[in-house]
Amino acid sequence: MGQKVNPFGFRLQDSKQWKSRWFARDPKQYRENILEDYKIRRYLMDKLALAGIVEARIDRSINKMKITLVVSRPGVVIGRGGSGLELLKQELVKMVSLPEPEKNLEIDVEEAKEPELSAHLVATRIAQQLEKRMPYRRIANKAVERVMSAGAKGVKIALAGRVGGTEVGRTETFKDGAIPLQTLRANIDYAQVPALTRFGYVGVKVWIHKGEKEEK
């Protein structure tokens, strides 16, 4: 079997940055922070799915935390007069272990520059359509066409499981353009999202090649 590596982790500190940025000397504090980040990020990904959330970055300093939300529709998160953001903060305050969390928790919202080139958004859209029992070939081919039209250098979509309701699980792959997974200077966006269909889970994986980083 081939040895697979996550394209995001493979490019950390080269063309990608950590999604959680903090330091902990105490091993107990370290694992508590990791678990807390996981719960916060999972909550945000489910809660803000309609807002087209791309990623949630978490920065910690001494007794302070900043959560940066990158979404395709910021207005849905902020709400009228900032009411949506305030309600979201009230929920997050219950999940963080900070002194005076109302004061020390900061939430920032950024608009995704190229939502059509976000692997997470593309994978989420495909998963939602699969759950609605739409034909998987039509879904994947339209997604490939849409991503390439947005300016991508290449795209690859893999559907694994009982695709189309078959008795035996298999992997269906759809791709266009170039996906240089072993080239570190290549800017590859990657995401995987599960789709719960009537026949069971179907894993959706998306790779998007946005171009190469210019060498200094």
Side-chain angles (χ1 to χ4, degrees):
M1 296 178 63
Q3 302 301 310
K4 309 298 189 298
V5 63
N6 189 297
F8 184 89
F10 189 49
R11 290 167 175 80
L12 276 174
Q13 300 302 318
D14 190 80
S15 60
K16 303 291 183 181
Q17 295 296 325
W18 295 97
K19 295 181 180 179
S20 292
R21 291 175 286 191
W22 45 265
F23 178 79
R25 290 181 178 274
D26 184 11
K28 181 180 179 182
Q29 185 65 41
Y30 180 81
R31 60 176 177 262
E32 288 176 353
N33 287 354
I34 287 182
L35 180 59
E36 190 174 285
D37 285 8
Y38 170 77
K39 290 180 178 179
I40 291 172
R41 191 170 283 113
R42 184 173 181 179
Y43 169 78
L44 290 172
M45 288 298 181
D46 292 338
K47 179 75 173 180
L48 304 178
L50 293 177
I53 184 168
V54 175
E55 66 174 344
R57 298 194 297 266
I58 300 175
D59 295 89
R60 295 174 184 263
S61 58
I62 301 175
N63 296 330
K64 288 190 177 183
M65 179 188 294
K66 179 180 179 182
I67 300 176
T68 304
L69 306 174
V70 183
V71 296
S72 61
R73 292 189 288 174
V76 177
V77 181
I78 298 173
R80 182 172 298 178
S83 59
L85 198 60
E86 188 61 32
L87 290 174
L88 182 63
K89 184 174 181 178
Q90 291 176 9
E91 293 296 324
L92 291 174
V93 160
K94 304 174 185 176
M95 305 175 65
V96 299
S97 55
L98 290 173
E100 300 182 34
E102 295 86 357
K103 178 181 177 181
N104 295 324
L105 176 63
E106 179 184 353
I107 302 177
D108 190 19
V109 180
E110 294 181 2
E111 184 177 4
K113 296 180 180 178
E114 299 174 319
E116 290 296 335
L117 296 182
S118 168
H120 180 78
L121 288 183
V122 174
T124 301
R125 189 183 297 122
I126 293 173
Q128 291 172 348
Q129 292 174 337
L130 288 174
E131 291 173 352
K132 294 178 181 178
R133 306 183 188 179
M134 295 177 65
Y136 71 92
R137 285 192 177 89
R138 183 189 305 171
I139 295 171
N141 287 326
K142 281 190 173 295
V144 168
E145 182 180 348
R146 192 181 301 113
V147 172
M148 294 301 292
S149 299
K153 302 296 182 182
V155 57
K156 177 181 176 182
I157 298 173
L159 308 178
R162 294 184 61 184
V163 184
T166 56
E167 292 294 331
V168 180
R170 67 182 192 279
T171 299
E172 291 278 352
T173 304
F174 306 84
K175 59 183 178 179
D176 191 9
I179 305 290
L181 296 180
Q182 298 185 33
T183 305
L184 282 174
R185 65 177 179 272
N187 184 5
I188 304 291
D189 194 13
Y190 170 77
Q192 57 183 41
V193 176
L196 181 56
T197 68
R198 60 177 296 188
F199 304 105
Y201 276 104
V202 173
V204 181
K205 294 183 179 181
V206 176
W207 296 259
I208 297 178
H209 179 207
K210 300 181 180 180
E212 295 189 358
K213 184 183 69 173
E214 295 182 2
E215 296 185 1
K216 298 181 181 179

